[in-house]
Amino acid sequence: MSHTFPKHAPGQTQPVQPGIESEMNPLPIYEAADDEKKDGKLKDKVAIITGGDSGIGRAVSLAYAKEGAKVAIVHHPREVDDAAVVKNKIEQIGGQCLLIEADLTQSTVATEIVSKTKEAFGQVNILVNNAAVQYPQKNIADITDKDLHDTFAVNYFATFYLTRAVVPHLTTGDCVINTTSVTAYEGNEQLLDYSSTKGALRAFTQSLAMNLAKKGIRVNAVAPGPIWTPLIPASFDEKKVAEHGTKVPLGRMGQPVELAGSYVLLASAEGSYMSGTTIHVNGGTITDS
């Protein structure tokens, strides 16, 4: 990669989650300037990526397309413009992209996503569960029932619903990849409910990997640390945003492009002996697993 990555961002906020990428300063880096030519590691594969319009999901969507995969991006209704940017970029490099606007918290939507993807591309081989929300609170007493339920609805239940709908269409060599978090391992004093959902995804990843192993379907996860995505200015106050990533050993926030390779590895033949594991991309933070 030829980028020089910024250490931190100026203080800023956005009023509504999951946040809009085009309104961030600086803009996240989601692709390297020198990676147009790839090796076709995902040629003839079809991937469904939730939250694929921005942040980590955008980086993964572009990386998969560059490796030859057809990509179905599931995005929030407020993120139509961000999703269109990704679709245009994928089509500019000769790839194929389907945009699916959906409320992932509704269980019936999961089957619709699978149906639309198969109608467009004929199959599903890779599922990346990436969409998430977070509502920081200093005290447990301040976490409302609604915020608790909304956080689990998006981060965990939506993952379960979509995985349940996709798995019957997967076969040997196919895979599921979940985006968990460093908070599942370290905790976070202001993200009690969010950290809990990510811990649930950690256990779900390991359990589903065991469940599907005999079918040759692999299940893994990526645990990001402090990455510069729209969720950050949409979640925290200006002071927290300005400090984002400054306390990890590498001393800076990470960029979405720095995670893309992990998702490619886990989806490709190079990761064929990996299942039930988590790749940590967190700026040097040491975890217990």
Side-chain angles (χ1 to χ4, degrees):
M1 291 184 188
S2 60
H3 289 287
T4 299
F5 297 111
K7 287 191 172 183
H8 58 85
Q12 59 199 272
T13 61
Q14 292 192 24
V16 181
Q17 290 200 40
I20 304 299
E21 183 146 327
S22 60
E23 296 178 4
M24 297 172 69
N25 174 36
L27 292 174
I29 300 169
Y30 50 82
E31 61 180 337
D34 55 359
D35 70 349
E36 291 301 323
K37 293 184 179 180
K38 290 295 184 179
D39 302 322
K41 293 175 182 175
L42 302 179
K43 184 180 179 182
D44 300 324
K45 302 292 186 181
V46 174
I48 296 174
I49 303 172
T50 68
D53 56 281
S54 63
I56 295 168
R58 177 182 289 198
V60 175
S61 296
L62 285 164
Y64 278 14
K66 290 176 181 179
E67 291 289 359
K70 300 179 181 70
V71 178
I73 291 174
V74 185
H75 65 91
H76 192 279
R78 283 194 296 270
E79 302 212 327
V80 172
D81 292 342
D82 277 350
V85 169
V86 185
K87 186 174 191 292
N88 289 338
K89 284 185 171 291
I90 288 174
E91 291 177 346
Q92 285 171 9
I93 61 173
Q96 296 183 52
C97 178
L98 171 69
L99 299 182
I100 303 174
E101 182 180 316
D103 178 359
L104 288 166
T105 65
Q106 303 302 309
S107 62
T108 55
V109 168
T111 55
E112 295 174 10
I113 291 169
V114 175
S115 296
K116 289 178 180 178
T117 302
K118 292 195 71 174
E119 182 179 348
F121 299 134
Q123 63 195 50
V124 181
N125 308 104
I126 305 160
L127 170 61
V128 178
N129 291 303
N130 175 72
V133 295
Q134 59 185 17
Y135 303 99
Q137 292 290 355
K138 293 181 179 180
N139 303 298
I140 189 171
D142 296 328
I143 298 175
T144 67
D145 289 355
K146 182 179 186 305
D147 284 351
L148 177 64
H149 293 163
D150 287 352
T151 302
F152 269 87
V154 175
N155 298 7
Y156 182 75
F157 289 115
T159 291
F160 191 97
Y161 296 150
L162 189 52
T163 304
R164 184 175 61 187
V166 167
V167 163
H169 301 273
L170 302 181
T171 188
T172 300
D174 294 340
C175 66
V176 176
I177 304 170
N178 299 316
T179 301
T180 177
S181 169
V182 68
T183 66
Y185 297 82
E186 283 202 326
N188 185 290
E189 64 179 354
Q190 291 190 22
L191 295 172
L192 303 181
D193 44 357
Y194 173 86
S195 300
S196 298
T197 65
K198 294 302 186 176
L201 287 177
R202 175 186 178 185
F204 179 61
T205 297
Q206 294 170 329
S207 299
L208 189 63
M210 297 169 65
N211 182 270
L212 297 179
K214 291 182 179 179
K215 296 181 180 180
I217 300 169
R218 297 177 298 105
V219 185
N220 292 291
V222 178
I227 310 301
W228 185 230
T229 73
L231 193 59
I232 302 309
S235 301
F236 297 107
D237 61 30
E238 292 187 6
K239 183 176 183 294
K240 291 284 289 186
V241 171
E243 295 174 346
H244 188 61
T246 59
K247 296 180 182 179
V248 300
L250 289 184
R252 66 170 176 86
M253 61 188 184
Q255 293 292 330
V257 67
E258 295 181 278
L259 291 101
S262 298
Y263 289 84
V264 172
L265 169 63
L266 292 175
S268 71
E270 293 179 351
S272 60
Y273 201 54
M274 300 174 69
S275 194
T277 194
T278 298
I279 296 178
H280 295 268
V281 188
N282 61 25
T285 299
I286 305 301
T287 67
D288 63 3
S289 177

